[in-house]
Amino acid sequence: MRVVITGCSRPNGIGLELCRQLAERGDLIEATTRKPSGALDAFVASYPGRVRAHILDVASDESARTLTTQIREPVDVIINNAGVWEGARDLTNIDTARMLEVYSINALGAMRVTSALLTNLRAGTEKKVLNLSTGMAILGEPNDGRGYAYRMSKVALNMMTRTMAANLRVEHVKLCVIDPGWVQTDMGGDGAQVPVGDSVRGLIAWLDRMTEADSGDFLHYSGHKLPW
């Protein structure tokens, strides 16, 4: 199957590990990065004909439209992985411009990419979209008072996914959000508990078994579903 994955620049990131595990099993990968990445270029070179790299800024409508001129084939799966962390907790020094930037990347980014590639997705066989979220967006979970923009953007991503799932259900397009766990990446930082390979294996397992009955649900990489 042909899979589009956003946010594939970091050597130890979820995006590049998704590329690796999916390419190793024979899938065709369209990997995107906001700016040139030596790690991604090296990966592409190791899978000639199976992996292509594209420059994509998920915060730009124009960049998302440009991607559709580079990917003309049917797309089976879109994995919206690109995202940024923001950990502010100081209410006396709120940077609303930065908060809007985080929202544009983490929430609207997935909408831009999915909307731009919707014609490709409709032509695909699997018709699946997996949006990476976080347990920090669960309203009923304990909250430590940090990450305003990050939490808010991921709650918006969750609602966008549920709304899009309802909108596209008649076309048999399946969309879910998934918590990859606290992953040992640059974004995960100190204390992260989940090896990136383990997280990605769980993401792919869900990707493979997603059905229309799951569409609009909040998944966890370890195999269960989460409350909103």
Side-chain angles (χ1 to χ4, degrees):
M1 62 183 180
R2 186 175 301 276
V3 184
V4 176
I5 306 170
T6 67
C8 302
S9 63
R10 296 183 182 276
N12 72 334
I14 290 174
L16 198 56
E17 181 64 16
L18 278 163
C19 292
R20 186 186 68 78
Q21 291 193 23
L22 290 170
E24 283 185 353
R25 74 180 198 176
D27 292 321
L28 301 174
I29 309 300
E30 308 285 355
T32 81
T33 176
R34 185 174 61 86
K35 57 186 178 180
S37 161
L40 180 56
D41 289 345
F43 179 79
V44 171
S46 66
Y47 289 91
R50 194 178 301 171
V51 183
R52 296 191 299 192
H54 308 275
I55 298 296
L56 169 67
D57 180 358
V58 301
S60 164
D61 293 352
E62 181 180 357
S63 185
R65 287 192 294 266
T66 298
L67 185 65
T68 66
T69 69
Q70 301 169 4
I71 304 174
R72 298 189 177 276
E73 300 88 347
V75 168
D76 295 294
V77 173
I78 300 171
I79 304 177
N80 287 302
N81 164 69
V84 292
W85 161 253
E86 176 280 330
R89 68 165 77 231
D90 182 3
L91 284 173
T92 65
N93 190 29
I94 293 295
D95 184 345
T96 54
R98 175 56 177 164
M99 294 182 76
L100 287 169
E101 180 183 5
V102 172
Y103 180 83
S104 184
I105 294 169
N106 288 358
L108 296 182
M111 174 166 269
R112 286 188 184 97
V113 174
T114 305
S115 176
L117 293 174
L118 192 53
T119 297
N120 307 67
L121 191 67
R122 285 167 168 154
T125 301
E126 295 293 326
K127 297 181 175 65
K128 295 180 179 180
V129 180
L130 196 60
N131 296 326
L132 268 68
S133 187
T134 173
M136 294 176 73
I138 299 174
L139 298 182
E141 286 292 299
N143 189 316
D144 63 3
R146 66 192 171 102
Y148 277 90
Y150 184 74
R151 291 178 187 272
M152 293 162 67
S153 67
K154 292 297 187 177
V155 171
L157 173 70
N158 291 356
M159 180 55 76
M160 183 276 287
T161 303
R162 284 182 64 82
T163 304
M164 195 177 287
N167 188 16
L168 298 178
R169 194 177 303 277
V170 68
E171 299 184 58
H172 308 290
V173 177
K174 300 162 282 290
L175 301 98
C176 290
V177 285
I178 191 163
D179 178 3
W182 190 5
V183 187
Q184 295 168 354
T185 63
D186 291 343
M187 184 183 290
D190 297 338
Q193 303 164 343
V194 183
V196 64
D198 291 351
S199 174
V200 168
R201 276 186 284 275
L203 301 184
I204 293 173
W206 260 120
L207 184 66
D208 287 343
R209 68 175 181 268
M210 273 173 60
T211 68
E212 292 186 44
D214 301 307
S215 192
D217 285 350
F218 195 169
L219 315 175
H220 191 270
Y221 86 95
S222 63
H224 61 280
K225 294 186 179 182
L226 293 169
W228 297 104

